[in-house]
Amino acid sequence: MIKLVLTLDCILLIYSFFQFLRYFVFIISINRKKIERTETNYDLVVVIPCFKEQKVIEKTIEYFNSILKKNISLVLVTTNKEKGLNTTKDIIERNIITKYPNTFLINYPYDDGMMADQLNYVIENINQYIPKDYVDNKTYFCVYNADSRPNRNTFKELDKEIANNFFPEFIQQYSYALSNFEQLNLVLKGFAIYQSNFELKCGMLNSYFDSYLLHRHLVGHGLFVRLDVIKKINGFNTKFWCEDIYMSAVANNLNYKIEPILCLENMETPNKIIKLMKQNAVWFGTSNSHIKLYIDVFKSQKKISIRGILGLVNEFRSSINWLFFPFIIVFLFVSSIFLDIKYFIFSLIAYISYILIYSYTTIQIINKLENKKIKYSIKMFISTFIATLISNIGPLYFLITKPKEKYKTER
């Protein structure tokens, strides 16, 4: 038992310092990164799927029109699934498309379906929103949420990424979850940092370093897909709840580049534990279907690549880690107490080091990329310490309740 406890503690410490080293290398690398080209010719359509977005849609479109170039189409896609008086479609027709000439409305004409169905409907009608002389491999299909707030320099950074990387298949803007940070309670503040860490370390850094061995993932907002690629893979998958996890598997199996934009989107964290549990359960439900999901990818593409297999392994590892990591920490604390106080202290030091390194470097990456001055505090450390200990409440909620329908996060 002593050897097991010490081994697990040492693994946690090694992993923590590995993440700190990666953070340090990343910061040095982006400081030295040279911009070789800043202009190129490409077409872009920005799509925002809407379902029960009455509270946020007007302010969101006002924001996007303040940062988009005038020649870029902004397409809002509503759905017949939304019923009642004063729907999102009604608000868009009345208050938005009459105000902004580059903003268009398309309605998904069916009473069922998910966000992926709405996006695929836009792809079917894409010729309405891009120039007639567009070229598939120089046109990007972009997705944001109805409450998205990407950095104001996003589309300037997009120019640079496209030019410097010669039209990569995927470009991803990753997020941090501090938009409503001050309105959250102590535990949810910790979850905001926990989610930000996952987006930046497992998402952006793994894509930036183009790691074969570590988990790469795409996100369903801030996502830019080259039009020839989205057509080749037959649009967004509708068999699984999270179309972005499926598309991550596609990108892995086809060995496509995921190029991160080095500015971020600031998103909200759910303001109640029950909302966060349900949201996380949706994500875990798809991640936990890794074998079924990757088999579907392999069959549909008629190809099994080394990177595809590694993607499957990493998705499995990610879901297992999400579910069991808090149990491992509790096991270390409880078992080390029964062994000897010195082992408990060592376990506590290992966990404190892990929390301190990942929460501090997460805040510093946000400060660096967003030119902010967020001060790391003891309160942030305590909130992250607690939240990480219960970070598997979403997976547990999924396994216990086995929800049959995809939960839409309440605004």
Side-chain angles (χ1 to χ4, degrees), residues 144-366:
Y144 277 102
N145 284 341
D147 63 340
S148 290
R149 292 296 184 275
N151 184 291
R152 300 193 71 86
N153 292 320
T154 294
F155 297 97
K156 294 179 182 177
E157 291 295 321
L158 178 67
D159 290 347
K160 297 176 184 177
E161 294 300 335
I162 291 175
N164 292 329
N165 294 285
F166 300 99
F167 299 96
E169 292 89 355
F170 292 94
I171 301 173
Q172 179 70 62
Q173 181 175 47
Y174 291 97
S175 305
Y176 63 105
L178 303 185
S179 177
N180 59 335
F181 190 75
E182 296 304 323
Q183 287 75 50
L184 301 174
N185 63 34
L186 182 70
V187 174
L188 288 173
K189 278 183 167 68
F191 272 104
I193 296 173
Y194 177 89
Q195 179 61 29
S196 299
N197 172 73
F198 178 78
E199 290 291 316
L200 298 180
K201 305 293 178 56
C202 295
M204 190 180 67
L205 263 65
N206 285 358
S207 296
Y208 182 83
F209 292 118
D210 198 22
S211 173
Y212 263 74
L213 298 178
L214 299 178
H215 183 271
R216 297 191 317 162
H217 75 270
L218 294 161
V219 186
H221 49 95
L223 172 65
F224 299 79
V225 190
R226 221 172 58 200
L227 193 57
D228 62 320
V229 173
I230 200 67
K231 289 180 178 179
K232 177 181 178 180
I233 64 177
N234 297 315
F236 292 85
N237 179 268
T238 57
K239 295 180 182 179
F240 299 87
W241 280 349
C242 297
E243 71 288 334
D244 49 0
I245 295 178
Y246 188 95
M247 192 164 285
S248 301
V250 170
N252 285 326
N253 195 47
L254 294 177
N255 197 25
Y256 283 152
K257 175 73 172 175
I258 301 175
E259 193 66 41
I261 295 178
L262 294 182
C263 64
L264 306 174
E265 177 190 346
N266 193 2
M267 65 180 182
E268 290 188 350
T269 294
N271 58 4
K272 293 182 180 179
I273 288 290
I274 186 62
K275 292 181 183 179
L276 184 136
M277 287 171 59
K278 291 180 178 179
Q279 181 193 70
N280 284 193
V282 169
W283 297 341
F284 181 79
T286 305
S287 178
N288 196 48
S289 301
H290 42 266
I291 295 177
K292 184 178 179 181
L293 186 151
Y294 267 87
I295 287 176
D296 190 85
V297 169
F298 296 151
K299 286 183 177 179
S300 64
Q301 295 175 357
K302 298 179 180 179
K303 175 182 180 180
I304 302 177
S305 69
I306 294 176
R307 194 156 197 172
I309 294 172
L310 289 173
L312 169 59
V313 172
N314 280 320
E315 197 64 54
F316 167 75
R317 180 184 56 80
S318 179
S319 61
I320 291 296
N321 179 72
W322 193 0
L323 178 62
F324 287 105
F325 182 74
F327 292 141
I328 292 173
I329 298 303
V330 172
F331 165 77
L332 287 174
F333 287 165
V334 174
S335 58
S336 60
I337 287 176
F338 284 104
L339 291 172
D340 194 293
I341 188 63
K342 64 183 179 184
Y343 297 117
F344 172 74
I345 293 174
F346 186 58
S347 294
L348 186 60
I349 290 173
Y351 183 63
I352 287 174
S353 299
Y354 170 75
I355 296 298
L356 183 62
I357 288 173
Y358 100 62
S359 56
Y360 175 78
T361 56
T362 295
I363 296 300
Q364 294 310 311
I365 289 175
I366 295 169

